[in-house]
């Protein structure tokens, strides 16, 4: 395995040695930066002559390639900042002798690196603050394609994802064009970093995942290889009267909780409109939102929390508060021709979104079953139905559940 960035991180960690002094703002000193740029061959320009003027770099923060290497070492937990010193994390130094594990640590931490190497300030793009979502979108698009992907197409994909949280309709054409241009610039820069990491090859205006990159994506997505552990999971919607609503799904044992979330959504038939969390009895896991104070679900695997016979609670839509029991029924191994995740059984329909929780759902079923009820037509209109028979609470279609799961696997859902 050959990776330019892995070798730079190893060389930087060895340079740190027993520890190095940082500036008062916690940066590499300029004197050290001047030594590191040629040592690591980062290609950063320390001084530039334009006309009669010589412009010298006055802070290591402006040396973006060097900052990338430094942040990579932090993400891999090879070094850490303590006070005004950068020191080694002794328990993780074994990574330096295992390039494969070091590479994986860097690749799985790539979504944390955007602010290290993308421009900040006046020319900052939307990708910089939305780097986790944007970089995952680009990698998923590459992973779902056999062969090369046009870079302009990747830029468009990333733009669609990172611009979604913002209201840009009021922007004039020129500012919007500038914002889009800076985003495309940073997308291309991100692809260049992935090239240095050995994840993609770049040629003729296109990008393609390497075999190493595909292997890393399988690991991130929790997809199993033949012989890897899988779990048979029973997902049961709790407190539903009359008709039990449940699905039995085969998933990789190592599936991250953020992927398990979209699997549950697809298997059950939810539409992923609302917030959610997992609870293992003590700790809440969910999206990495500081105000929610959940543990980041992207960094926790299912088999980290439960073994066969164990249970998790999954709550969806904090308003309607749909509680699901996640029971690990048994463990098996993936087969070479198996598809995972895969639904193998289930019963009853998923309730409609925003119906008002278990009480509201029970009331909806009652009203649909009573054509004379004064709210019967209102409920039909709310559901968008002409005939109450078109919504059957007892209906479950295994093929439809697996079609939704296939969309999750292909990256078109979730």
């Amino acid at each position: 395995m050959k990776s330019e960035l892995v070798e730079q991180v190893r060389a930087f960690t060895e340079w740190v040695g027993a520890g190095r002094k940082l500036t008062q703002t916690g940066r590499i000193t300029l004197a050290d930066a001047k030594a590191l740029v040629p040592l690591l061959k980062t290609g950063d320009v320390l001084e530039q002559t334009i006309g009669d003027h010589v412009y010298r770099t006055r802070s290591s923060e402006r040396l973006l390639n060097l900052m990338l290497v430094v942040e990579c070492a932090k993400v891999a937990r090879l070094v850490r900042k303590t006070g005004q010193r950068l020191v080694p994390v002794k328990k993780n130094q074994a990574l330096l002798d295992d390039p494969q594990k070091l590479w994986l640590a860097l690749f799985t931490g790539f979504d944390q690196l955007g602010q290290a190497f993308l421009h900040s300030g006046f020319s900052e793009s939307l990708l910089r603050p939305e780097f986790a979502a944007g970089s995952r979108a680009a990698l998923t698009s590459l992973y779902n394609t056999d062969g090369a992907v046009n870079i302009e197409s990747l830029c468009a994909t990333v733009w669609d994802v990172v611009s979604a949280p913002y209201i840009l309709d009021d922007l004039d054409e020129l500012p919007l064009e500038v914002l889009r241009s800076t985003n495309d610039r940073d997308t291309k820069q991100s692809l260049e970093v992935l090239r240095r990491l050995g994840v993609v090859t770049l040629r003729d205006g296109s990008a393609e995942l390497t075999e190493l990159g595909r292997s890393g994506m399988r690991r991130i997505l929790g997809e199993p290889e033949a012989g890897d552990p899988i779990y048979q999971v029973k997902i049961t919607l709790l407190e539903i009267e009359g008709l039990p609503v449940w699905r039995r799904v085969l998933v990789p044992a190592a599936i991250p909780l953020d992927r398990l979330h979209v699997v549950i959504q697809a298997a059950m038939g939810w539409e992923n409109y609302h917030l959610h969390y997992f609870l293992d009895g003590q700790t809440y896991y969910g999206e990495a939102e500081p105000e929610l104070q959940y543990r980041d679900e992207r960094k926790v695997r299912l088999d980290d929390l439960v073994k066969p016979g164990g249970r998790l609670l999954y709550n969806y839509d904090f308003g309607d508060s749909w509680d699901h029991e996640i029971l690990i029924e048994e463990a098996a191994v993936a087969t070479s021709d198996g598809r995972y995740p895969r639904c193998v059984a289930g019963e009853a329909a998923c309730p409609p979104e925003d119906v008002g929780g278990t009480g509201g759902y029970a009331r909806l079923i009652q009203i649909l079953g009573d054509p004379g009820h004064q709210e019967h037509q209102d409920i039909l209109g709310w559901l968008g139905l002409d005939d109450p028979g078109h919504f059957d609470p007892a209906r479950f279609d295994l093929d439809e559940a697996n079609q939704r799961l296939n969309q999750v696997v292909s990256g078109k859902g979730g």
Side-chain angles (χ1 to χ4, degrees):
M1 185 201 75
K2 188 79 171 176
S3 166
E4 172 189 331
L5 199 49
V6 166
E7 294 307 312
Q8 288 174 323
V9 169
R10 291 177 66 189
F12 173 74
T13 307
E14 291 171 358
W15 172 86
V16 169
R20 295 280 180 165
K21 185 178 179 180
L22 299 172
T23 67
Q24 290 185 340
T25 57
R27 300 289 181 184
I28 298 290
T29 68
L30 192 55
D32 282 342
K34 289 179 178 179
L36 282 168
V37 166
L39 174 67
L40 303 179
K41 299 178 181 177
T42 64
D44 291 295
V45 178
L46 289 161
E47 61 179 50
Q48 186 175 16
T49 302
I50 301 178
D52 296 331
H53 298 280
V54 177
Y55 295 90
R56 294 181 175 85
T57 300
R58 300 190 180 279
S59 170
S60 64
E61 184 179 3
R62 295 299 178 185
L63 305 173
L64 297 182
N65 289 328
L66 176 59
M67 289 302 96
L68 172 63
V69 175
V70 174
E71 291 306 310
C72 280
K74 291 179 182 177
V75 161
R77 297 290 297 153
L78 290 168
V79 299
R80 65 183 176 88
K81 177 177 161 298
T82 176
Q84 291 182 333
R85 286 184 65 78
L86 193 66
V87 298
V89 180
K90 293 182 179 179
K91 66 179 181 180
N92 291 332
Q93 296 305 296
L95 280 177
L96 297 176
D97 299 320
D98 193 331
Q100 186 76 25
K101 286 185 178 179
L102 176 54
W103 179 88
L104 186 60
L106 296 179
F107 182 59
T108 55
F110 178 72
D111 61 0
Q112 304 172 49
L113 296 174
Q115 297 199 10
F117 68 89
L118 297 180
H119 293 273
S120 61
F122 179 74
S123 64
E124 183 171 316
S125 70
L126 294 182
L127 178 58
R128 192 170 189 267
E130 304 294 336
F131 189 72
S135 61
R136 176 63 67 89
L139 284 166
T140 300
S141 180
L142 288 164
Y143 183 65
N144 290 332
T145 304
D146 292 328
V149 179
N150 182 275
I151 288 177
E152 296 305 323
S153 173
L154 285 174
C155 288
T157 296
V158 171
W159 171 256
D160 288 343
V161 169
V162 301
S163 64
Y166 301 90
I167 299 174
L168 304 177
D169 296 341
D170 295 336
L171 282 182
D172 292 334
E173 184 176 343
L174 181 57
L176 186 61
E177 183 180 335
V178 170
L179 195 58
R180 178 70 182 265
S181 175
T182 59
N183 213 76
D184 290 352
R185 174 203 67 199
D186 283 359
T187 298
K188 293 171 184 177
Q189 180 61 25
S190 302
L191 290 171
E192 172 59 22
V193 172
L194 287 170
R195 183 200 64 78
R196 291 170 57 192
L197 191 54
V199 174
V200 301
T201 56
L202 304 176
R203 63 171 68 91
D204 300 327
S206 66
E208 184 175 359
L209 277 186
T210 62
E211 283 305 312
L212 187 61
R214 288 198 169 275
S215 173
M217 283 300 293
R218 284 194 293 270
R219 183 66 176 266
I220 285 178
L221 298 173
E223 294 183 5
E225 306 279 1
D228 285 349
I230 60 172
Y231 279 167
Q232 178 174 292
V233 176
K234 185 176 182 182
I235 307 161
T236 303
L237 188 55
L238 301 179
E239 299 180 5
I240 296 291
E241 296 181 3
L243 288 171
V245 182
W246 60 271
R247 308 286 185 261
R248 180 168 287 120
V249 184
L250 302 179
V251 300
I255 190 170
L257 292 188
D258 65 319
R259 293 290 294 174
L260 180 60
H261 155 67
V262 295
V263 167
I264 294 169
Q265 290 282 309
M268 294 298 295
W270 296 117
E271 297 181 58
N272 204 10
Y273 288 158
H274 303 286
L275 296 173
H276 68 278
Y277 65 73
F278 291 91
L279 176 64
D280 65 359
Q282 297 179 326
T283 304
Y284 289 87
Y285 306 86
E287 295 182 4
E289 295 287 346
E291 58 270 23
L292 294 177
Q293 297 185 338
Y294 295 160
R295 279 195 61 188
D296 189 347
E297 64 184 358
R298 297 172 301 174
K299 303 183 184 304
V300 182
R301 305 183 339 179
L302 181 58
D303 59 0
D304 289 334
L305 299 182
V306 283
K307 305 301 179 188
R311 290 173 168 82
L312 286 176
L313 180 75
Y314 170 80
N315 180 276
Y316 171 62
D317 184 354
F318 298 168
D320 283 4
S321 194
W322 298 105
D323 281 331
H324 304 66
E325 178 190 72
I326 313 300
L327 170 64
I328 313 303
E329 293 186 312
E330 61 182 52
V333 295
T335 60
S336 59
D337 59 348
R339 291 182 296 106
Y340 311 98
R342 183 169 82 251
C343 188
V344 294
E347 189 173 358
C350 183
E353 294 276 359
D354 302 315
V355 73
T358 54
Y361 186 43
R363 186 169 181 273
L364 178 139
I365 293 174
Q366 177 190 2
I367 293 173
L368 283 179
D370 181 3
H373 195 285
Q374 63 181 5
E375 296 182 50
H376 185 78
Q377 290 301 319
D378 291 339
I379 292 294
L380 284 178
W382 183 74
L383 290 171
L385 302 177
D386 297 324
D387 183 342
H390 291 161
F391 179 78
D392 180 4
R395 182 178 182 273
F396 168 70
D397 188 305
L398 182 62
D399 288 339
E400 287 183 5
N402 277 311
Q403 286 174 10
R404 294 192 297 269
L405 285 169
N406 287 340
Q407 289 182 324
V408 168
V409 171
S410 70
K412 297 176 182 177

